[in-house]
Amino acid sequence: MRYSQYLLSTLKETPADAEVVSHQLMMRAGMIRKVAAGIYSYLPFGLRSIRKVEQIVREEMNRAGAIELLMPMVVPAELWQESGRWEQYGKELLRIKDRKEAAFCLGPTHEEVITDIVRREVRSYRQLPLNLYQVQSKFRDEIRPRFGLMRGREFIMKDAYSFDVDEAGADVAYEKMYQAYRRIFERCGLRFRAVEADTGNIGGTSSHEFMVLADSGEDAIVSCDSCEYAANVEKAEIRPPQAAAPVLTQTLQKVATPARRTIEEVAEFLKARPEQLIKTLIVQTDAGETVTVLLRGDRELNDIKLCRLLGCNDVELASEELVKQVTGAPTGFAGPVGLKARILADSEVRFMTDAITGANELDAHYTGVACGRDFIVETFADLREAVAGDPCPRCSGKLEIWRGIEVGHVFKLGTKYSAALDASFLDAQGQEQVLFMGCYGIGIGRTVAAAIEQNNDDNGIIFPMPLAPFQVIVTMVNPNDEQVNQAADALYRQLLDLGVEVLLDDRDERPGSKFKDADLLGIPLRVTVGARGLKEGALELQERRSGEREMIPLAEVGALVAARVRQALSA
């Protein structure tokens, strides 16, 4: 492609509403343009990268035995009502009506539609197993769309759905998709982790997220420094502390703590460490139940773990009024001693002695508190968020904390949707059985954005070769010089003949401006064609990532560049 004939406009200034690096650079590099909040047009340069991801995804999905189809973006309400998600999904589901006042939604995900297709088309176990996928636009009406393609309202996604005769077959399908996803992100040239995750709104029994590692990632993930264990921080397990005989050196004593409410304030006032305090939280579930949760003072509650223990969907801290009703004291002075309430505790609390807690009285705390002696816990469980240095739940290693960007998610759905929509088949004995399902998604645009978050510098994007819109940019230093023009054009045509994707910068612009644009665009290799080099019979080749430059004999440039591209793609 010749730059002068291409729709590619770069921006010198960062758009005011672009908050993260990928959003800023995709706008500046002419990859996307905003149409409305969370809705973008993919311009030619950006679309080329999108198509690269799609191609890798399609090749690996086909390799894993999945079959491509295409489902509608507009979905009738009846299907979502059958599954029960019409009422459950929330305002992110954009509900619309047609001219006949029939209700529809813009599909944020397609479990209902694919299950409807399969229940109509599949009759016998002989037609199974089956894995169907699509690459389709989705819509989720995010309350605060931000970060460009990282959290848009309309987005391109690959979603696949497996159907099997039993749970064992579903496990095989899940493993195939898990391995296919690993190959996809490896081929994209990304550093990533596959982590255990919560199933969220999709539902099911278990899931893994595929997280691209980046300092700007929204999600915290943990991984072991010794084994392959990795999990989203919401899901991360922590090995229970070793049982130890309690050592009591203090008796229970009430002390005045005037106007000291927070863990930090109380610890400083009593000359103690935060880990010597027991944090007492009064929480309320979405079902209206009020429970008391105890944590070590320096720990944070993991809402997902608590919800899983209580069998609820959501919990929130109790209001000031409810805290006073339960404890008899304002927020900041709650404690388990003498509290008539249902008490749950993180496993670490079981062995705490000589601890400090609120006294359920304004401006008062207890010291010398011992679990088991001064209060009774109904259930001990892993209820806290993991932190760096925690023991791995699988081996003797320690957990490390990373930041990550979710680009893929695989779920074991079981019979959640097939049972609700009556999707069944006849087994070998002629008996009707419910299908076992799996669900597997990849954010296509999000993968491109995540790649940019992981690969950039102060000058712009640094594309991994597999995702680069073009593999090589040939920059003419002076296109009005006939010799330069002819040499650049000859190299351009040679590279095209060798199968290299090349952008020829033939614009009549200052060399410095062209070099800045080349860095911003992040094309992996740049060949500079100038009069000085031609006089010496050589051209300058520069790698975008390392910045290394070398002079290559003119007759060898084409073959060498093509070889470098092939090498990078096969790495």
Side-chain angles (χ1 to χ4, degrees), residues 72-75 80 85-86 89-95 104-113 134 136-142 152-159 161 201-202 439 441-442:
M73 187 179 183
V74 179
V75 182
W80 279 69
R85 289 206 296 174
W86 185 257
Y89 203 86
K91 292 184 178 180
E92 288 77 21
L93 186 67
L94 185 60
R95 297 163 173 85
F104 293 82
C105 67
L106 295 188
T109 181
H110 277 69
E111 284 80 11
E112 286 81 2
V113 178
Q134 66 169 350
Q136 167 69 295
S137 290
K138 310 275 190 177
F139 193 93
R140 289 182 189 147
D141 199 6
E142 294 276 358
R153 292 195 292 168
E154 184 181 68
F155 52 95
I156 300 172
M157 183 175 175
K158 186 285 302 179
D159 48 325
Y161 306 89
N201 288 332
I202 299 293
C439 168
I442 289 178

Side-chain angles (χ1 to χ4, degrees), residues 308-364:
R308 197 177 300 122
L309 177 64
L310 295 174
C312 63
N313 296 316
D314 191 27
V315 294
E316 61 181 15
L317 290 176
S319 64
E320 177 82 29
E321 181 181 350
L322 182 56
V323 170
K324 195 165 187 177
Q325 179 182 326
V326 172
T327 69
T331 300
F333 300 98
V337 179
L339 192 66
K340 291 180 172 57
R342 183 184 182 191
I343 299 177
L344 312 176
D346 181 71
S347 300
E348 283 184 320
V349 176
R350 183 193 297 267
F351 306 112
M352 292 187 69
T353 58
D354 297 344
I356 300 167
T357 72
N360 300 317
E361 181 181 318
L362 179 64
D363 293 341

Side-chain angles (χ1 to χ4, degrees), residues 48-220:
R48 288 181 69 93
S49 193
I50 294 286
R51 295 291 185 240
K52 294 286 185 75
V53 177
E54 289 181 1
Q55 183 62 26
I56 291 171
V57 166
R58 282 190 168 95
E59 288 174 3
E60 292 301 334
M61 292 302 295
N62 295 342
R63 176 181 171 185
I67 306 166
E68 187 172 7
L69 47 58
L70 185 62
M71 292 175 277
M73 187 179 183
V74 179
V75 182
E78 288 84 353
L79 288 176
W80 279 69
Q81 289 164 348
E82 273 193 80
S83 70
R85 289 206 296 174
W86 185 257
E87 295 77 17
Q88 297 170 1
Y89 203 86
K91 292 184 178 180
E92 288 77 21
L93 186 67
L94 185 60
R95 297 163 173 85
I96 57 176
K97 289 188 177 181
D98 66 8
R99 67 179 65 195
K100 297 179 181 179
E101 291 298 306
F104 293 82
C105 67
L106 295 188
T109 181
H110 277 69
E111 284 80 11
E112 286 81 2
V113 178
I114 196 70
T115 306
D116 180 56
I117 291 172
V118 171
R119 71 178 173 182
R120 296 171 184 271
E121 302 296 329
V122 172
R123 294 282 182 265
S124 167
Y125 72 96
R126 293 187 178 89
Q127 295 171 270
L128 300 168
L130 188 63
N131 192 328
L132 302 170
Y133 79 95
Q134 66 169 350
V135 178
Q136 167 69 295
S137 290
K138 310 275 190 177
F139 193 93
R140 289 182 189 147
D141 199 6
E142 294 276 358
I143 186 171
R144 281 184 296 273
R146 51 203 300 230
F147 307 153
L149 302 190
M150 297 283 286
R151 191 187 289 177
R153 292 195 292 168
E154 184 181 68
F155 52 95
I156 300 172
M157 183 175 175
K158 186 285 302 179
D159 48 325
Y161 306 89
S162 62
F163 298 85
D164 288 272
V165 298
D166 55 24
E167 190 168 0
D171 289 344
V172 171
Y174 186 89
E175 180 62 20
K176 282 185 179 180
M177 288 295 98
Y178 179 88
Q179 296 301 334
Y181 273 39
R182 293 190 67 89
R183 292 193 298 270
I184 286 168
F185 296 117
E186 286 169 359
R187 286 185 58 186
C188 286
L190 302 176
R191 291 180 291 110
F192 70 94
R193 292 282 191 281
V195 304
E196 296 180 13
D198 189 70
T199 56
N201 288 332
I202 299 293
T205 57
S206 62
S207 71
H208 284 83
E209 290 173 340
F210 287 78
M211 312 285 286
V212 170
L213 303 180
D215 292 338
S216 57
E218 288 186 278
D219 298 307

